[in-house]
């Protein structure tokens, strides 16, 4: 009985004290949403070691994960080796090793996130060798360069290669020389190292080049270590396939393969650099354009929806549809009188179009494209009114009676999202006695006054105010001779005297 009584007494005490104790113990239910989110994020460093130069490009401490409500501080174990600022930029001070400690302060508690091992080194020459041409040159990169130091470059043989104060090396004649580099910092000069410079003749940068058929030059033959004072000659083995001009620009004449030989003449000495294989290829269809989607009732320029590789800009591209009841393909004239080949979605479904190239009275097949016509609903309809005058904060256009606006469509002020959405755009006028608007968005002024044009696309719509005014030339007097009292000779003399010509 005594044991049973003691157990009951203990349970009773726990039951009485539990509510009091629990109110002081934070639980996930007692935290705010922001606190739960922040507590769940444990900061983690993205870099744990780095090598930097003295007064060189700083290293930046970055986090893979961090608490955006916390404050982070940075400290260096040895500021004589490296320092770190409040933003986490580490700068080298002297050669050696140290560590940067990162701490996080959140809700009054400071914890260590981690340490970054820093090694500070002196400048180093990036490569052992630099190759330049006669009368051409280049730089040798120096890694971990001290931005506050002064560097000096010395050539072992200036008759072969010379170097300026900035480290730019110029080839003088064929041969090999050594460039030595020293650094002066804090009144102390130390040797950085040296590298070998080889001065060579120019050489072909590539063995093979692919160019399209075209009447214009496509690309230039690249010569490495080119001598700026030498003369280069290019010769095509077959000019019926590819031509090359005196500057090395290649033009593809017809499909096929040939070679172009290159020589270099300098100081009356000619050296053959070799030859490059030229492959002249016809246009073809890129893989990503061999199967495309277009919207129903949409009109698309052929070369706008089909990406053609090695397109010949002097050629005309056409296409034929395998099923014109699904896709129409044909020539269409623009507002400006130009003809373009277009592809129109007529009905839902899939068919193919065959693309052709017409050039020099020759028609060749470029390739076949699978075209699927589908509904593409718009998800947005934007009115770009930036360039339109605002009247009482309403986008407003002014039209004049008697003017021809047949080439000025409102459609240019609107665009769909996505751009190829198939939902049609409609235009309506609030008063056709003042202005009418057709299905193409062309407004025709009818009478003086103000009218609202509503432009709709699916569930989206915008309003545009149109003001119609009398003719711009209503004050023009047809019976008055405007040139009668104008002295052109006198005006020209004044123009000459002004010196404005």
């Amino acid at each position: 009985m005594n044991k049973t009584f003691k157990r009951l007494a203990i349970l009773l005490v726990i039951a009485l004290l539990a509510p009091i104790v629990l109110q002081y113990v934070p639980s996930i239910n007692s935290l705010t949403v922001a606190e739960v989110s922040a507590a769940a994020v444990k900061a983690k460093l993205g870099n744990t070691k780095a090598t930097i130069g003295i007064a060189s490009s700083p290293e930046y401490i970055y986090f893979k994960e961090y608490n955006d409500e916390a404050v982070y501080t940075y400290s260096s174990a040895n500021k004589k080796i490296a320092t770190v600022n409040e933003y986490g930029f580490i700068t080298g001070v002297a050669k050696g090793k140290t560590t940067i400690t990162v701490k996080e302060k959140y809700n009054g508690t400071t914890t260590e996130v981690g340490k970054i091992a820093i090694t500070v080194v002196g400048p180093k020459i990036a490569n052992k060798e630099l190759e330049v041409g006669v009368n051409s040159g280049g730089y040798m990169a120096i890694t971990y360069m001290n931005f506050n130091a002064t560097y000096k470059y010395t050539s072992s043989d200036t008759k072969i290669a010379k170097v300026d104060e900035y480290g730019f090396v110029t080839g003088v004649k064929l041969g090999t020389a050594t460039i030595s580099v020293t650094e002066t910092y804090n009144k102390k000069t130390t040797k950085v190292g040296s590298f070998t410079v080889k001065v060579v003749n120019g050489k072909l940068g590539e063995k093979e080049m692919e160019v399209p058929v075209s009447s214009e030059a496509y690309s230039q033959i690249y010569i490495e270590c080119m001598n700026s004072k030498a003369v280069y000659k290019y010769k095509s083995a077959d000019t019926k396939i590819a031509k090359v001009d005196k500057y090395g620009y290649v033009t593809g004449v017809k499909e096929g393969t040939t070679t172009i030989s290159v020589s270099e003449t300098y100081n009356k000495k000619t050296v053959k650099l070799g030859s490059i294989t030229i492959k002249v290829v016809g246009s073809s269809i890129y893989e990503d354009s061999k199967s495309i989607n277009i919207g129903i009732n949409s009109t698309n320029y052929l070369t706008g929806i089909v990406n053609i590789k090695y397109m010949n800009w002097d050629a005309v591209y056409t296409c034929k549809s395998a099923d014109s009841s699904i896709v129409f393909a044909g020539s269409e004239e623009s507002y400006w009188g130009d003809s373009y080949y277009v592809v129109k979605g007529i009905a839902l479904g899939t068919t193919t179009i065959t693309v052709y190239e017409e050039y020099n009275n020759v028609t060749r097949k470029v390739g076949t494209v699978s075209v699927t016509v589908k509904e593409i609903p718009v998800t947005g309809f934007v009115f770009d009114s930036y360039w339109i005058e605002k009247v009482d904060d309403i986008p407003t256009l002014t039209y004049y009676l008697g003017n021809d606006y047949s080439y000025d469509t409102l459609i240019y002020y609107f665009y769909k999202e996505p751009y190829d959405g198939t939902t049609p755009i409609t235009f309506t006028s609030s008063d056709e006695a003042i202005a009418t608007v057709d299905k193409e968005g062309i407004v025709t002024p009818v009478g003086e006054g103000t009218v609202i044009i509503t432009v709709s696309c699916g569930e989206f719509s915008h309003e545009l105010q149109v003001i119609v005014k009398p003719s711009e030339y209503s004050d023009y007097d047809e019976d008055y001779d405007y040139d009668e009292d104008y002295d052109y000779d006198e005006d020209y003399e004044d123009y000459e005297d002004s010196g404005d010509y």
Side-chain angles (χ1 to χ4, degrees):
M1 288 295 294
N2 288 337
K3 288 183 179 181
T4 302
F5 179 77
K6 286 181 179 180
R7 287 174 182 173
L8 290 173
I10 292 170
L11 290 173
L12 180 60
V13 171
I14 291 173
L16 292 171
L17 293 178
I20 299 173
V21 173
L22 287 175
Q23 68 178 324
Y24 294 104
V25 178
S27 68
I28 196 68
N29 293 325
S30 67
L31 296 175
T32 65
V33 174
E35 289 171 332
V36 171
S37 176
V41 177
K42 184 177 181 181
K44 188 176 181 180
L45 293 176
N47 49 344
T48 56
K49 61 180 180 179
T51 300
I52 60 175
I54 299 169
S56 187
S57 299
E59 174 75 9
Y60 177 65
I61 298 171
Y62 68 95
F63 295 82
K64 285 185 177 179
E65 295 179 6
Y66 70 99
N67 181 351
D68 57 7
E69 295 183 7
V71 175
Y72 293 91
T73 58
Y74 315 93
S75 60
S76 172
N78 190 342
K79 293 181 180 180
K80 293 182 179 180
I81 301 295
T83 60
V84 59
N85 68 9
E86 60 183 311
Y87 305 108
F89 285 97
I90 306 168
T91 303
V93 177
K95 290 182 182 179
K97 294 185 177 183
T98 187
T99 57
I100 302 296
T101 302
V102 182
K103 292 183 178 181
E104 175 190 85
K105 186 176 182 180
Y106 178 65
N107 278 349
T109 301
T110 300
T111 56
E112 183 178 304
V113 177
K115 296 181 183 294
I116 301 173
I118 300 297
T119 302
V120 182
V121 298
K124 297 179 181 180
I125 294 173
N127 295 296
K128 295 180 179 180
E129 187 175 288
L130 175 67
E131 199 170 67
V132 299
V134 178
N135 299 312
S136 71
Y139 288 98
M140 172 60 74
I142 296 179
T143 58
Y144 305 116
M145 178 179 272
N146 185 334
F147 297 147
N148 296 328
T150 301
Y151 291 87
K152 185 178 180 180
Y153 306 85
T154 307
S155 172
S156 64
D157 191 341
T158 55
K159 292 181 179 180
I160 292 176
K162 56 185 180 180
V163 60
D164 67 14
E165 59 183 315
Y166 304 106
F168 187 82
V169 180
T170 302
V172 179
K173 71 175 185 178
L174 301 180
T176 303
T178 301
I179 305 295
S180 300
V181 185
T182 60
E183 176 194 75
T184 300
Y185 180 59
N186 286 342
K187 299 181 180 181
K188 182 180 179 181
T189 300
T190 56
K191 183 178 180 180
V192 177
S194 61
F195 59 93
T196 300
V197 175
K198 287 186 176 181
V199 183
V200 299
N201 287 314
K203 54 185 178 180
L204 295 177
E206 51 192 339
K207 295 181 179 180
E208 187 175 288
M209 180 187 292
E210 199 171 70
V211 299
V213 177
S214 177
S215 64
E216 298 181 0
Y218 180 75
S219 58
Q220 186 180 28
I221 294 174
Y222 172 59
I223 298 177
E224 294 178 354
C225 303
M226 194 173 199
N227 184 339
S228 61
K229 295 182 180 180
V231 175
Y232 293 87
K233 287 189 177 181
Y234 308 86
K235 186 177 181 181
S236 172
D238 190 343
T239 55
K240 292 181 179 179
I241 293 177
K243 297 184 297 184
V244 60
D245 67 12
K246 61 181 179 179
Y247 303 108
Y249 284 96
V250 181
T251 302
V253 179
K254 71 175 184 178
E255 291 182 55
T257 302
T258 187
T259 58
I260 291 177
S261 56
V262 186
S263 64
E264 175 189 87
T265 301
Y266 179 63
N267 284 344
K268 299 181 180 180
K269 184 179 180 181
T270 300
V271 178
K272 292 182 178 180
L273 303 187
S275 60
I276 179 172
T277 300
I278 305 296
K279 290 185 177 181
V280 182
V281 296
S283 56
S284 59
I285 296 171
Y286 279 103
E287 285 297 323
D288 62 356
S289 284
K290 289 185 177 180
S291 180
I292 61 174
N293 298 322
I294 63 173
I296 190 167
N297 299 320
S298 67
T299 300
N300 312 273
Y301 292 126
L302 171 61
T303 53
I305 58 173
V306 177
N307 294 322
I308 299 176
K309 185 179 183 181
Y310 293 131
M311 176 183 283
N312 183 346
W313 294 103
D314 298 306
V316 175
Y317 290 90
T318 63
C319 66
K320 291 182 180 179
S321 173
D323 189 342
S324 57
S325 67
I326 296 176
V327 170
F328 165 82
S331 180
E332 192 171 271
E333 192 173 284
S334 70
Y335 282 125
W336 298 272
D338 301 317
S339 293
Y340 295 92
Y341 235 77
V342 297
V343 178
K344 294 183 178 181
I346 304 300
L348 301 177
T350 299
T351 187
T352 59
I353 59 171
T354 303
V355 182
Y356 298 93
E357 176 189 83
E358 297 175 5
Y359 179 64
N360 281 346
N361 298 319
V362 176
T363 300
R364 61 178 289 273
K365 179 181 175 181
V366 177
T368 302
V369 179
S370 173
V371 182
T372 298
V373 181
K374 59 193 297 186
E375 294 277 6
I376 306 175
V378 296
T379 57
F381 186 52
V382 180
F383 179 20
D384 184 6
S385 60
Y386 182 81
W387 301 106
I388 299 179
E389 180 186 2
K390 304 291 192 304
V391 176
D392 295 330
D393 208 32
I394 301 173
T396 303
L397 290 175
T398 300
Y399 287 76
Y400 294 90
L401 292 171
N403 284 10
D404 181 12
Y405 296 99
S406 57
Y407 293 104
D408 189 7
T409 172
L410 297 178
I411 197 68
Y412 296 132
Y413 297 110
F414 301 86
Y415 60 89
K416 301 175 182 178
E417 294 176 345
Y419 73 94
D420 56 350
T422 57
T423 307
I425 299 175
T426 59
F427 304 86
T428 55
S429 170
S430 64
D431 190 342
E432 294 191 345
I434 297 174
T436 62
V437 58
D438 67 13
K439 63 179 181 179
E440 303 296 336
I442 296 173
V443 175
T444 301
V446 178
E448 294 181 45
T450 301
V451 66
I452 297 297
I453 302 295
T454 302
V455 186
S456 303
C457 185
E459 62 182 287
F460 307 98
S461 66
H462 298 281
E463 290 186 347
L464 173 68
Q465 182 171 257
V466 167
I467 297 176
V468 179
K469 294 184 177 182
S471 171
E472 291 179 279
Y473 310 105
S474 58
D475 296 331
Y476 184 81
D477 187 348
E478 294 181 358
D479 297 326
Y480 180 74
D481 186 356
Y482 287 90
D483 295 332
E484 182 179 5
D485 298 324
Y486 188 80
D487 190 335
Y488 288 95
D489 292 332
E490 182 181 341
D491 185 68
Y492 183 73
E493 289 176 5
D494 293 340
Y495 174 67
E496 281 190 313
D497 293 339
S498 70
D500 291 335
Y501 53 90

